[in-house]
């Protein structure tokens, strides 16, 4: 869903890079994207499993945000008062030729007749990723494949059985199904179920270095951060993003020192008070049915 292609990102940074896959262009498009990521040396493939369709984001509807994003006469008129008082932002947006393309959705499918962006997005929604896809994804990518968007130990186990080499506990920053628990609540169950077999990462609501420390203490190997980058970028451009990293790092260091531990490797369950209810595993319908049968 990025505004820049993976080629542009690869050219811009020598650091290790991960590619997050949505099945833009359906299975054929996904295959093409995975092959491109592999060819460019991306080191891990993240397969988001909680977005077979986008959630019902009412605020997006209210603000006229559509997929793919486009500047229309209505949105331009509506946001003009905000844009005009931010000339720097407006200048940079104009420099980008007012583009809000889904850069990765462009040109997928048959090279002789590539799909339009709209067709690529429709093909994604019509062909949601399933557990069965992990086998071929792992084979074509040839490196670590992480399932992003699990919230329970049972789903994490299914992901690992299907071929995922890592899981990311996430509720998509609360942007998909309303009413799901916070990712941190699901982390406990996932770590207990698959923590000994694969690496478990977590995202959602990480805003402070102390949030990072809590997740690591509960058994996450690392955390991912979503909105703070966007906040930093919106506030101050590239230096804003750098500042976000600096804030998280400084706060994490401070938290470790206040806890009296010398490194994140030493963080453990003894450093967090996890509410007892968080460890309760949600009962699978199968088990409930068996118990009901036994009672009769
Ligand atoms: C504007 C926006 C766009 C996102 N796009 C994607 C996406 O394309 N793929 C994906 O797996 N997750 C996407 N996410 C979810 C993030 O990857 C991440 O799970 C979430 O933002 C973490 O929560 P946080 O924002 O509280 O840190 C998006 C989140 C936001 C806010």
């Amino acid at each position: 869903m990025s505004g820049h292609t993976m080629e542009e990102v690869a050219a811009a940074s020598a650091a290790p890079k991960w590619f997050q896959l949505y099945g833009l262009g359906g299975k054929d498009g996904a295959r093409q994207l995975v092959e491109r990521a592999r060819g460019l040396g991306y080191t891990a493939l993240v397969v988001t499993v909680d977005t077979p369709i986008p959630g019902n984001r009412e605020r997006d509807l209210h603000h006229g945000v559509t997929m793919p994003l486009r500047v229309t006469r209505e949105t331009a008129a509506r946001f003009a008062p905000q844009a005009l008082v931010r000339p720097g932002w407006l200048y940079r947006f104009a420099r980008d030729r007012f583009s809000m393309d889904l850069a990765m959705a462009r040109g997928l499918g048959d090279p002789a007749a590539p799909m339009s962006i709209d067709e690529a997005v429709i093909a994604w929604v019509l062909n949601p990723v399933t557990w069965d896809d992990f086998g071929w994804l792992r084979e074509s990518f040839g490196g670590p494949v992480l399932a992003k968007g699990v919230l329970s130990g049972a789903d994490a186990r299914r992901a690992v059985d299907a071929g995922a080499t890592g899981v990311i506990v996430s509720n998509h920053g609360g942007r998909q199904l309303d009413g799901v628990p916070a990712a941190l609540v699901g982390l406990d169950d996932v770590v207990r179920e698959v923590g000994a077999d694969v690496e478990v990462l977590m995202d959602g609501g990480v805003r402070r270095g102390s949030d990072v420390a809590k997740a690591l203490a509960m058994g996450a190997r690392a955390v991912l951060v979503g909105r703070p980058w966007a906040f930093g970028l919106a506030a101050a451009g590239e230096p804003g993003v750098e500042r976000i990293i600096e804030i998280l790092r400084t706060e994490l260091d401070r938290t470790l020192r206040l806890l009296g531990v010398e490194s994140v490797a030493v963080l453990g369950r003894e450093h967090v008070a996890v509410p007892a209810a968080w460890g309760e595993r949600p009962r699978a319908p199968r088990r409930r049915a068996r118990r009901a049968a036994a009672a009769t």
Side-chain angles (χ1 to χ4, degrees):
M1 288 290 144
S2 61
H4 294 272
T5 62
M6 64 169 107
E7 286 77 9
E8 289 171 313
V9 174
S13 167
K17 285 165 286 286
W18 295 13
F19 177 65
Q20 182 261 312
L21 177 76
Y22 277 143
L24 295 169
K27 305 275 184 234
D28 281 348
R31 236 176 255 281
Q32 290 174 5
L33 292 170
V34 169
E35 267 158 34
R36 275 165 65 185
R38 178 159 103 158
L40 288 162
Y42 279 72
T43 51
L45 179 68
V46 175
V47 182
T48 300
V49 294
D50 62 9
T51 314
I53 52 169
N56 185 26
R57 298 168 189 162
E58 289 172 341
R59 256 195 289 180
D60 284 2
L61 288 174
H62 179 73
H63 290 300
V65 177
T66 52
M67 283 271 272
L69 288 168
R70 276 191 189 114
V71 184
T72 61
R73 210 172 298 150
E74 287 76 32
T75 50
R78 184 164 181 173
F79 293 109
Q82 290 181 41
L84 291 173
V85 293
R86 292 172 179 81
W89 179 87
L90 199 56
Y91 167 73
R92 288 189 298 273
F93 191 32
R95 205 181 47 192
D96 283 350
R97 279 175 254 140
F98 301 102
S99 162
M100 291 199 273
D101 259 6
L102 296 179
M104 295 301 306
R106 210 183 304 132
L108 293 173
D110 181 353
M115 289 179 174
S116 69
I117 291 181
D118 288 356
E119 285 166 341
V121 171
I122 290 166
W124 159 48
V125 176
L126 292 178
N127 298 279
V129 69
T130 71
W131 298 123
D132 292 339
D133 292 314
F134 275 81
W136 71 261
L137 283 168
R138 191 170 159 179
E139 213 168 284
S140 357
F141 184 65
V145 176
L146 296 101
K148 173 173 180 280
V150 298
L151 284 169
S152 71
D155 275 352
R157 176 55 63 197
R158 283 187 83 172
V160 172
D161 288 349
T165 49
V167 291
I168 302 175
V169 183
S170 172
N171 66 13
H172 214 105
R175 294 162 61 79
Q176 283 299 98
L177 189 62
D178 274 353
V180 287
L184 200 66
V185 177
L187 178 63
D188 218 34
D189 194 30
V190 173
V191 168
R192 260 187 298 151
E193 181 65 40
V194 300
D197 306 330
V198 297
E199 292 195 345
V200 177
L201 280 61
M202 192 278 297
D203 78 15
V206 174
R207 298 290 179 272
R208 301 216 157 254
S210 52
D211 297 332
V212 182
K214 287 173 197 169
L216 299 186
M218 285 177 66
R221 170 88 168 156
V223 299
L224 289 81
V225 177
R227 269 160 292 205
W229 310 116
F231 298 154
L233 190 66
E238 189 172 337
V241 176
E242 283 165 9
R243 181 82 181 111
I244 293 296
I245 305 174
E246 198 181 277
I247 291 171
L248 286 172
R249 181 166 288 154
T250 311
E251 289 179 349
L252 178 59
D253 282 347
R254 186 186 301 274
T255 305
L256 295 182
R257 295 191 66 172
L258 289 171
L259 284 170
V261 300
E262 69 270 21
S263 102
V264 287
V266 190
L267 283 174
R269 289 295 293 238
E270 66 278 21
H271 296 113
V272 275
V274 180
W278 287 16
E280 280 172 18
R281 283 161 191 259
R283 280 197 210 120
R286 240 179 317 121
R287 258 181 278 159
R288 243 191 338 246
R290 234 183 290 138
R291 199 160 315 133
T296 52

